[in-house]
Every structure is written in structure tokens, then in C-alpha cells.
Amino acid sequence: MTYLRYAPGIETPAPDEQKSIDGIIQGMTQQSQVVEKREHHAVRASHAKSSACVVGELVVPENLPPELAQGLFARPGTHKVAVRFAQGPGETLGDRVSTHRGMSIKVFGVPGEKLPGHDVDTQDFVLATGTTFPSGTAAGFLRDGTVIGKATGLPEGVKSAVATTARNLNRVLHAFGTESAIADFLGHPYSHPLADSYFSQAPMRFNDYVAKLGAVPASKAQSDLAEWRLDPHGDEDGFRHAAADFFRGNEVVYDLKAQLWADAERQPIEDASVDWPVAVSPYRTVATIRLPRQDAYSPARVRYFDEVMTFRPAHSLAAHQPLGSVMRARLQVYRALSDFRHRENGVTAENTASPDSIPA
């Protein structure tokens, strides 16, 4: 198979993109202010409620094909990682409001040229459930974010009803062999967080190439969770309890996979709402993430992950520069919202350079 090469000109920003990005920052900051007033604490503007905060290793195998042996994955070896699993909303809600989920990965010991403003040897990958980002572009992000922002002040029961409606819609669509990305974003199944797959949704540079990434469960113990479902009426923090319980007795393993860019029309760079067909380019394993048995929710570690540590697409090697409209927005939005959160809480943000900084 022939894969397309990275070149600076593959990105084509809209003329008014910065205006959309400024609007996203303003709107999400206002949303965060509403949540802070209610919770008496500033939380992440997305993926606020963590379900597991863990450490482990990322192993790059020997003898990757040349097109996969790129950037971080160019040399075989083992890197320490920190991984945060979380629920999607930018507020602390009961788990009956089951929306999309996140898996943020910080890889340590990664030398090489970094993006501007990133000054430590780490690489962050910020992943979420769903292979696409429903908004597609910065303009769509602003449009959809405005609607979500207006709903922030609504009662939790209304948000639960919306999630239930979206989840039921996808259940019907699945019967016809299809699904809605926005329905899954708003109403993800009550599945186990460690049985889900997580994706970059938008593309990034893959050194000489371009790729989207995915983290896919790769242990039998996780496969056995496929039919697990939370009873949201029995435990409003059930995803957290399920993840922590699982980590006490099991190693968690993910295959980290890259889907390389091969068709400029069917795999657009600028519209993250378009799913890249696996028939055009399949996901191929570039590394394995191993997270050993551990206390996944110790108070000291959770405070560090939730309050101090930052995960951003901008924490990146130049070889893995985020690409496309949504990613360019994220480069600015994550920083602005992190600055707001840390300032409001009187906490100094840390671009964590070493796993030794992470509490047990």
C-alpha cells in the first residue's frame, strides 16, 4: 500500500479560523465559571471526572515496518507512561449521565525537537471514545460548544434524559448497521471504561507520514468485560469504582495503533467528523501499553493527576504535530482553559517531566 507523505502545505485553515478559536475559548471559559460557581472549585472543561489515574509502560517493538517506525516509534524500547481515564463532561456529574470518555497518555523519556512552548522530554496523546470528533472543524466546535455551554446550567436530570435519548437512538441505529457519532458523544453505553477503545479522532503528523491513533484493549481480562454494564441507579460513581476494582486484580493492556493517511479525499485532514475508512487504511499496532495492577485512585495520586498535571496535544514532538482545524483549536483551547483552572484554584500547573513526580 502507498501512503501519503507529510508536507507543511497539507493543512488549509479557514480564513476566519482564529475567530472561531477565540469564541471557543470564551464560551468554554464561561461554561467553566458556571461549573465553578456550582461546585465551588474549577474543574477541567472536558473530562472533569476521572475514573482511574495510573502509571505503566509503553513498549515499542523491534522490526516495525519503515512507515510505522516513525517519530516516537522509530526506535524499539520501553517508556514510562502516566494515563488518566475520565468521563466526558466538563463538570462532576453522576454516572447516569454517561457520555463520551477520555484516555490521556503522557509518555516519558522522549527526546527530540518539540513544538514551541513544550520544554520537557514527554509526548502526550489525548484520546476519546469514538473514531471521529462530531464537530469536525473549529467552526463546528464553536457551534456545538455554544449549545453545550447553554445546557451547563440545566438540572442533572435533564442531562441524564438527553444522554438516555442519544443512547437509545444509537441502539436503534445499530440494528440497521450504522450509528451516530454525535449520539455516542452525548450518550455513550454504560460499558466498562477499560473495555472501551479510545482514538485521537483527528490526525497528527507521523514524522514522514500522517496518522490517526487508537488504543484498543488487548488482554483477555478486558475482553471478558465486553458485556459488563453499569447500573447507574445503584452507583453514581460506578465507572470509577469498576475501574479501580479491576486494577486491583488485573494488568490492563492496550495495543496502540496508527491509521496512516493514504487517500486525501476519503481521509480529509481538515474535517475530523469524517471517519477514515479502515478499508482504505487499517489501524496497525505500533506499541503496547501495559498498566500493572495498582491502586488506581489513591487520594495523593488523584489530586496530582486532577489538579496539577496537564495533558495537552501541544505537549508533543514536532514529529507528531497535531493537524487539522480541530487540532489547531485544541492547541490554544487546552492551554487557555488549563490556565483558567489552575489560576482559579491557586494551583501551579506542572508540565510533568518525570514519572518520579507522580505520587504512589
Side-chain angles (χ1 to χ4, degrees), residues 82-162:
V83 182
R84 182 179 185 268
F85 295 89
Q87 302 304 105
E91 52 187 323
T92 308
L93 301 172
D95 287 353
R96 59 186 175 142
V97 187
S98 177
T99 70
H100 65 291
R101 299 169 186 173
M103 177 185 182
S104 297
I105 306 164
K106 188 178 294 291
V107 187
F108 296 99
V110 183
E113 181 187 357
K114 307 297 192 298
L115 294 186
H118 183 44
D119 56 1
V120 300
D121 285 344
T122 59
Q123 169 70 49
D124 288 5
F125 296 120
V126 181
L127 313 179
T129 47
T131 56
T132 63
F133 187 73
S135 300
T137 63
F141 194 163
L142 174 60
R143 178 197 65 230
D144 295 345
T146 299
V147 174
I148 293 171
K150 289 180 179 178
T152 301
L154 294 175
E156 186 169 321
V158 174
K159 297 168 186 174
S160 176
V162 170

Side-chain angles (χ1 to χ4, degrees), residues 177-302:
T178 186
E179 65 179 8
S180 164
I182 188 65
D184 187 74
F185 185 87
L186 295 173
H188 193 71
Y190 288 120
S191 54
H192 199 290
L194 303 176
D196 279 333
S197 296
Y198 298 84
F199 301 90
S200 67
Q201 301 183 326
M204 65 186 67
R205 182 177 175 183
F206 204 71
N207 197 33
D208 291 337
Y209 299 92
V210 174
K212 292 185 179 182
L213 295 185
V216 179
S219 76
K220 182 182 183 302
Q222 287 164 271
S223 297
D224 291 343
L225 297 173
E227 301 304 317
W228 183 95
R229 291 295 182 269
L230 173 73
D231 176 4
H233 303 292
D235 188 351
E236 287 283 86
D237 297 316
F239 295 127
R240 173 184 298 167
H241 294 148
D245 287 346
F246 191 82
F247 267 110
R248 288 190 190 100
N250 300 273
E251 178 186 43
V252 171
V253 184
Y254 287 88
D255 285 336
L256 188 64
K257 295 174 176 283
Q259 183 187 30
L260 294 177
W261 187 44
D263 186 318
E265 290 189 4
R266 288 189 285 177
Q267 296 176 297
I269 298 295
E270 293 295 338
D271 188 351
S273 69
V274 177
D275 198 13
W276 286 12
V278 293
V280 172
S281 178
Y283 282 91
R284 300 164 66 192
T285 299
V286 293
T288 300
I289 298 171
R290 294 190 175 277
L291 307 170
R293 290 183 292 176
Q294 60 193 284
D295 184 349
Y297 219 76
S298 73
R301 181 181 287 175
V302 169

